[in-house]
Amino acid sequence: MNFDFDEKQRKEILNTVSQKIEHFYTNTKDYSTTPELNLQEIRNIIESENLVSGTEPNKAIEHIINGLEKYSVHTPHPKYFGLFNPRANFAGIIADFITASYNPQLAAWSHAPFAVEVEAHVINQFIEKFGLNSKKSDGVFTTGGAEANLTAVLSALNNKYPDFAKNGMFGLDKKPVIFCSQEAHHSVQKAAKIVGLGYEFVKTIPTTKDLKIDTDLLEKEIKNLNNSTHSPLMVIGTAGTTGTGTIDDLEEISKICKTHNIWFHIDAAYGGGAVLSSNLKHILKGISASDSITFDAHKWMSVPMGTSVFLTSHQEILNKTFRITTEYMPKEANELEIVEPFSHSIQWSRRFIGLKVYLSLLFYGWNGYEKVINHQAKMGEYLRTKLTENNWIIKNSTELPVICFTDQKFESDLNFTKTILDNILTRGNSWISVYPIKNVPTFRACITNYNTTETEIDELIEELNKERKAYQD
């Protein structure tokens, strides 16, 4: 079996893929934002293909492309106003192709020294951008924000309990407690489950009227903890909550953590992108005082999934948390006093994740990113203005382009948002969602696409107004 094909066949296959991707990339707005959710039809299409002896390459490619185009929410669409899933920039797409082709193994430094050093260089750039001390900090690329938040929990445990790596939860005399906002991402609960702590020991703190964690209640809960059986492990502040884009009072949380000697982690998976903009970075005041940070480059930096970063102001904690020795791994890095990547993170076999960021920076530069982020923030302000002009009310307060809104007359009508949302998604011209704020369902629209302009926003407003009128009539 010739897995490589010959040169002519490879060029034909690549040409077919290139043409189809180029067509989608150029004409994304022509596609429906929302797929038809026909489970049996999808399964029938997949199961009809010959996986025993295989099929002709172009036919296989046609099958995949058709499936993705017909049965996907098209997050690259300029009228996708949904979750933090942006259109991937071209540099990131090319980076994934290069990575797959050369397939470097980043577990050992000596196997991929260029790739490992590229990632280290980009991590140091992020450390500087977030205002951490470059001589005392460390970081690593992760497969997503969930892995980064899990890394934060493990780091906090290994920081607080010197023998945790050896004895685990069995060696603890008190039960660790994680504190976070009720608006925090649920990867926190997942991390607690994975490490064996259990989500019962994640204490969620109510929010204030502006949807930030109530720091008075936070400190009260810490002080009221039964110190004979429990011990505060960490506080997680959120910089850009998934629902409303709210940024917790990072400075106040930092003071509380310092007072009680608690690890302070900031989940800045989305909002962390604000540090790349001179217009927005002030909203992250206090982030440099944290013990660790989660940042998703696959959000505001518009690179393909999943490209995230974990940063920490404790230079040795990653090594302490993940260090391990083996007989079969290469030893060349030891002579150079280089930490082997496989002993520096959760992952062992490691994909060249950082190339998506590095190549994007080579193509566009940090200056290009600042322009893109400022553009999206500007489009967020434009959407707020147009909604207000058309008698919609804004229910959240953030400088990030996340807008939650409704019609005041229908705030208590639970059927209002559901009916309009169903109609919009069925039509497939736009994609928005519904998010409850203080038990009031609101429409949620987020600018995630660097190609979204005033035209697409005007079209969304027109669609919303038309649906509202139809509901009233």
Side-chain angles (χ1 to χ4, degrees):
M1 180 64 185
N2 183 8
F3 274 26
D4 290 338
F5 297 104
D6 60 35
E7 182 180 359
K8 180 181 179 182
Q9 287 174 307
R10 289 197 299 270
K11 287 182 177 179
E12 288 177 352
I13 292 169
L14 286 172
N15 185 54
T16 298
V17 173
S18 177
Q19 287 180 1
K20 290 187 176 298
I21 290 176
E22 177 60 30
H23 181 270
F24 175 76
Y25 209 65
T26 303
N27 302 286
T28 311
K29 192 175 179 179
D30 295 339
Y31 289 80
S32 172
T33 59
T34 312
E36 180 183 348
L37 302 179
N38 189 324
L39 176 60
Q40 194 55 54
E41 183 175 279
I42 295 170
R43 287 180 174 174
N44 289 342
I45 291 171
I46 295 170
E47 292 169 3
S48 67
E49 292 299 312
N50 184 352
L51 300 185
V52 177
S53 57
T55 188
E56 193 270 325
N58 283 342
K59 182 175 181 293
I61 292 166
E62 188 79 22
H63 164 66
I64 297 297
I65 297 295
N66 288 344
L68 288 173
E69 290 185 348
K70 187 174 182 181
Y71 299 109
S72 295
V73 171
H74 288 307
T75 56
H77 198 290
K79 290 180 69 179
Y80 173 80
F81 300 100
L83 307 179
F84 305 130
N85 304 310
R87 177 182 177 88
N89 66 46
F90 193 65
I93 294 171
I94 296 301
D96 256 350
F97 178 71
I98 293 172
T99 295
S101 299
Y102 286 88
N103 200 28
Q105 167 57 290
L106 272 67
W109 181 88
S110 63
H111 272 46
F114 175 78
V116 173
E117 291 301 317
V118 162
E119 289 202 344
H121 178 68
V122 176
I123 287 293
N124 286 332
Q125 295 262 303
F126 280 123
I127 285 171
E128 292 179 5
K129 292 291 181 183
F130 279 97
L132 303 180
N133 186 327
S134 59
K135 295 181 180 180
K136 296 181 179 180
S137 301
D138 196 7
V140 66
F141 275 97
T142 69
T143 56
E147 184 191 333
N149 283 341
L150 174 58
T151 301
V153 174
L154 288 167
S155 296
L157 285 165
N158 280 276
N159 178 72
K160 187 177 179 70
Y161 305 107
D163 294 325
F164 184 80
K166 178 182 178 182
N167 301 320
M169 292 294 177
F170 296 104
L172 308 186
D173 58 345
K174 296 180 182 179
K175 298 173 181 177
V177 179
I178 300 170
F179 297 89
C180 64
S181 161
Q182 64 185 24
E183 292 287 314
H185 195 272
H186 284 80
S187 59
V188 176
Q189 280 81 358
K190 181 182 280 191
K193 291 169 66 177
I194 292 172
V195 301
L197 178 60
Y199 57 78
E200 280 292 322
F201 294 95
V202 177
K203 181 68 177 178
T204 55
I205 307 298
T207 58
T208 59
K209 64 179 180 179
D210 57 3
L211 304 176
K212 299 181 180 183
I213 189 172
D214 190 320
T215 51
D216 291 335
L217 283 179
L218 170 63
E219 185 152 35
K220 183 179 178 181
E221 289 289 346
I222 293 173
K223 289 179 177 178
N224 289 344
L225 206 61
N226 186 341
N227 292 322
S228 64
T229 57
H230 295 72
S231 179
L233 173 66
M234 64 193 302
V235 176
I236 299 177
T238 306
T241 56
T242 304
T244 64
T246 301
I247 297 176
D248 289 330
D249 188 338
L250 305 181
E251 286 189 303
E252 187 60 31
I253 299 174
S254 177
K255 292 176 185 176
I256 293 171
C257 289
K258 281 182 170 59
T259 298
H260 298 280
N261 193 26
I262 304 173
W263 186 281
F264 178 30
H265 176 65
I266 298 177
D267 183 352
Y270 171 61
V275 299
L276 307 183
S277 165
S278 55
N279 294 342
L280 288 175
K281 63 182 180 181
H282 68 276
I283 64 179
L284 296 178
K285 191 175 182 181
I287 198 167
S288 61
S290 62
D291 292 288
S292 57
I293 300 168
T294 286
F295 172 62
D296 286 355
H298 60 243
K299 290 186 168 65
W300 259 14
M301 292 191 77
S302 302
V303 297
M305 304 286 181
T307 314
S308 301
V309 172
F310 172 80
L311 304 175
T312 176
S313 56
H314 298 254
Q315 193 169 38
E316 294 301 320
I317 195 61
L318 285 172
N319 296 334
K320 183 179 179 182
T321 301
F322 301 111
R323 183 185 297 119
I324 196 167
T325 58
T326 68
E327 291 302 320
Y328 53 83
M329 292 298 288
K331 302 293 189 295
E332 292 91 343
N334 295 346
E335 300 175 7
L336 301 172
E337 297 183 353
I338 292 171
V339 176
E340 291 284 25
F342 77 90
S343 65
H344 197 239
S345 77
I346 290 172
Q347 299 171 60
W348 196 293
S349 295
R350 294 183 57 83
R351 182 178 172 85
F352 192 5
I353 298 172
L355 182 59
K356 287 178 277 191
V357 177
Y358 186 59
L359 189 60
S360 295
L361 289 171
L362 289 175
F363 275 30
Y364 316 119
W366 290 115
N367 291 341
Y369 270 115
E370 180 168 21
K371 292 177 182 178
V372 164
I373 288 171
N374 287 344
H375 166 75
Q376 292 186 45
K378 181 180 178 182
M379 291 301 98
E381 286 303 315
Y382 181 77
L383 177 55
R384 288 186 187 93
T385 299
K386 297 300 290 186
L387 286 166
T388 302
E389 289 176 355
N390 285 271
N391 300 316
W392 298 92
I393 58 169
I394 311 298
K395 300 294 288 185
N396 66 324
S397 177
T398 179
E399 291 187 50
L400 302 176
V402 182
I403 301 91
C404 298
F405 59 97
T406 189
D407 187 303
Q408 193 167 18
K409 298 191 295 294
F410 298 103
E411 282 189 282
S412 60
D413 184 349
L414 299 180
N415 198 47
F416 174 67
T417 48
K418 182 182 184 306
T419 300
I420 291 180
L421 179 69
D422 287 347
N423 290 342
I424 287 177
L425 296 185
T426 298
R427 192 169 290 109
N429 295 323
S430 304
W431 201 100
I432 60 174
S433 58
V434 168
Y435 187 79
I437 297 180
K438 302 295 184 182
N439 297 319
V440 175
T442 68
F443 296 107
R444 179 191 178 280
C446 177
I447 312 297
T448 66
N449 192 321
Y450 52 82
N451 280 342
T452 298
T453 67
E454 294 177 357
T455 298
E456 285 75 37
I457 292 172
D458 288 341
E459 290 171 358
L460 175 64
I461 295 293
E462 182 180 356
E463 193 171 6
L464 286 163
N465 289 344
K466 186 180 297 184
E467 289 296 337
R468 178 175 56 182
K469 186 177 185 305
Y471 186 84
Q472 289 173 323
D473 294 342

